[in-house]
Amino acid sequence: MEKFVIHHTDLLQGKVRISGSKNAALPILAACLLTHEPCIIENVPPLTDVLNMLEILKGFGAEVSYDMEKEVISICARELTSIESFYEQAGKMRASFLVAGPLLSRYGQARLPHPGGCQIGSRPIDLHLKGFHTMGAKSKQEHGIIELTAKKLKGANIYLDFPSVGATENIMMAAVLAKGKTVIENAAAEPEIIDLADFLRELGADVQGDGTDTVEIIGGKELGGATHQVIPDRIEAGTFMVGAAITGGDIILENVREEHLKPVIAKLAECNVKIESIPEGLHVYRKGKLQPLQLKTMPFPGFPTDMQAPFMSLMTMAKGTSVITETVFENRFTHAGELQRMGADIRIESRNAVIEGVDELTGSKVRATDLRAGAALILSALAAKGETEIGDIHHIERGYYKIDEKLRGLGADIQRTEEN
């Protein structure tokens, strides 16, 4: 097992290129199962979640090649040899269940383990199954295995009780080969939904309304192949923006889309961080002392739950009282205890975190409890006095590609070593 050893960094300076979005890439990779024609997916960093998804696709019989240096994946699911994925890969990440829609739509059946991933709260698949059932599928769950069957999926009107990103994506993929029209109401509107819809249209699917709360798909059209470039990772971009803020730094983010970052930019502006759009990307720097915040996580275009932990790190250094309300996941404050080891003053009250700013944080031995919690610990370690050791960094590497190298390029003192 490896760990990060981080020493105080006065400020981050320089340019950093943001990688392709993991959360956009995973459903797009799953969607390659919908067509027998070759697909080329570009701008996909070799994160552990991406590698696990590719192993799942290979297990179905898809032909997969990956140029990791160029970050280009080629997939051809001409003839699948299996409709069953195995726990070894599927049990490691939530997104493994995104293959259900394509398999059910194309082959009429799928046999999948219950998905795994970070333990940040309840993320039931009931909305996915509700959509499939409405389209005519049947499901059975035994011994941790979910078996789906359908003679032929049919278009349907589906209302989601919550605008779940995963359920919206899975139902969209199921609908493109289904007979007739499918309407998803109260659909998720995240940028990753739009990127998936763009890819489906490139395959030849008829998808409209993505980016709004009502998505319409006319199914049954013949699909071909496509070449698609994945959007930049808005959460990685936001994390580096917070890095500039917490260290009082001055950085330029390359390969970003400002429209995907509006809620993060708005909150950073409230606490004296300046963000300017320039030809190279976004220029981020702090002006004055950090101010406390009130923020609530919400589905897009609200403040993203994936940025809650990095912002908690930032608020520990603000002068005054901040309150963060987490509405998406009920168990997403596990990083608070680790930040307290570093001297943070945080009080958890149900779904609210009350943060009193402190004069300084101090280095400590801490552990990444999940992906975004790990990013928060890195940010606090940069601002903390002395040395910080972060264990269980495999969580971090599920979603941040070469984060230590990128930070060193900005002047951070961060090293990767073996845990004792």
Side-chain angles (χ1 to χ4, degrees), residues 308-325:
Q308 177 257 107
F311 263 75
M312 184 180 290
S313 289
L314 184 63
M315 292 302 92
T316 64
M317 303 295 290
K319 302 303 179 185
T321 304
S322 298
V323 179
I324 297 175
T325 302

Side-chain angles (χ1 to χ4, degrees), residues 96-225:
S96 65
F97 197 66
L98 291 174
V99 300
L103 288 175
L104 191 58
S105 188
R106 183 175 171 187
Y107 286 92
Q109 54 184 329
R111 184 175 166 82
L112 310 168
H114 204 281
C118 287
Q119 300 304 308
I120 58 175
S122 176
R123 294 192 281 183
I125 58 171
D126 58 330
L127 293 180
H128 302 240
L129 297 179
K130 174 186 175 181
F132 297 154
H133 293 162
T134 306
M135 299 171 74
K138 296 181 180 180
S139 66
K140 181 172 63 175
Q141 299 187 51
E142 290 182 345
H143 311 296
I145 300 295
I146 302 161
E147 190 169 341
L148 299 163
T149 55
K151 288 184 178 179
K152 179 63 179 178
L153 292 181
K154 296 180 180 179
N157 287 354
I158 300 166
Y159 178 85
L160 298 179
D161 298 326
F162 177 83
S164 161
V165 173
T168 301
E169 292 168 339
N170 233 340
I171 296 168
M172 285 170 62
M173 291 186 285
V176 297
L177 294 179
K179 182 180 180 181
K181 181 178 180 179
T182 298
V183 179
I184 309 171
E185 296 182 87
N186 199 30
E190 273 75 358
E192 295 79 13
I193 297 288
I194 298 174
D195 205 28
L196 173 62
D198 285 342
F199 177 64
L200 294 175
R201 282 189 285 266
E202 289 161 5
L203 295 179
D206 186 342
V207 182
Q208 300 176 37
D210 45 294
T212 75
D213 62 1
T214 304
V215 179
E216 297 184 1
I217 304 103
I218 306 296
K221 296 183 180 296
E222 186 174 347
L223 303 183

Side-chain angles (χ1 to χ4, degrees), residues 20-53:
S21 168
K22 169 185 80 89
N23 290 339
L26 295 176
I28 288 170
L29 294 175
C32 292
L33 295 174
L34 288 165
T35 176
H36 63 277
E37 296 292 337
C39 298
I40 298 174
I41 315 300
E42 302 172 337
N43 196 34
V44 185
L47 300 160
T48 52
D49 273 11
V50 169
L51 298 177
N52 280 330
M53 178 61 85

Side-chain angles (χ1 to χ4, degrees), residues 187-320:
E190 273 75 358
E192 295 79 13
I193 297 288
I194 298 174
D195 205 28
L196 173 62
D198 285 342
F199 177 64
L200 294 175
R201 282 189 285 266
E202 289 161 5
L203 295 179
D206 186 342
V207 182
Q208 300 176 37
D210 45 294
T212 75
D213 62 1
T214 304
V215 179
E216 297 184 1
I217 304 103
I218 306 296
K221 296 183 180 296
E222 186 174 347
L223 303 183
T227 298
H228 180 84
Q229 185 171 91
V230 170
I231 59 173
D233 193 321
R234 62 192 173 104
I235 305 303
E236 184 191 14
T239 301
F240 276 96
M241 293 166 81
V242 174
I246 202 169
T247 64
D250 187 325
I251 68 174
I252 293 173
L253 303 180
E254 299 175 326
N255 191 37
V256 290
R257 294 193 185 178
E258 185 176 2
E259 66 270 23
H260 295 172
L261 292 160
K262 285 184 178 179
V264 173
I265 289 171
K267 284 300 175 182
L268 285 173
E270 285 184 32
C271 57
N272 276 339
V273 180
K274 187 77 172 175
I275 297 98
E276 298 173 345
S277 181
I278 59 176
E280 298 98 315
L282 291 178
H283 182 200
V284 185
Y285 57 98
R286 195 172 88 198
K287 296 201 67 169
K289 294 182 179 180
L290 287 172
Q291 298 299 307
L293 286 178
Q294 307 272 325
L295 68 83
K296 178 187 290 187
T297 64
M298 298 286 286
F300 193 85
F303 189 87
T305 181
D306 280 352
M307 284 303 303
Q308 177 257 107
F311 263 75
M312 184 180 290
S313 289
L314 184 63
M315 292 302 92
T316 64
M317 303 295 290
K319 302 303 179 185

Side-chain angles (χ1 to χ4, degrees), residues 85-93 112-116 144-145:
S85 64
F86 297 98
Y87 182 81
E88 184 178 354
Q89 281 81 35
K92 294 178 181 178
M93 61 175 186
L112 310 168
H114 204 281
I145 300 295

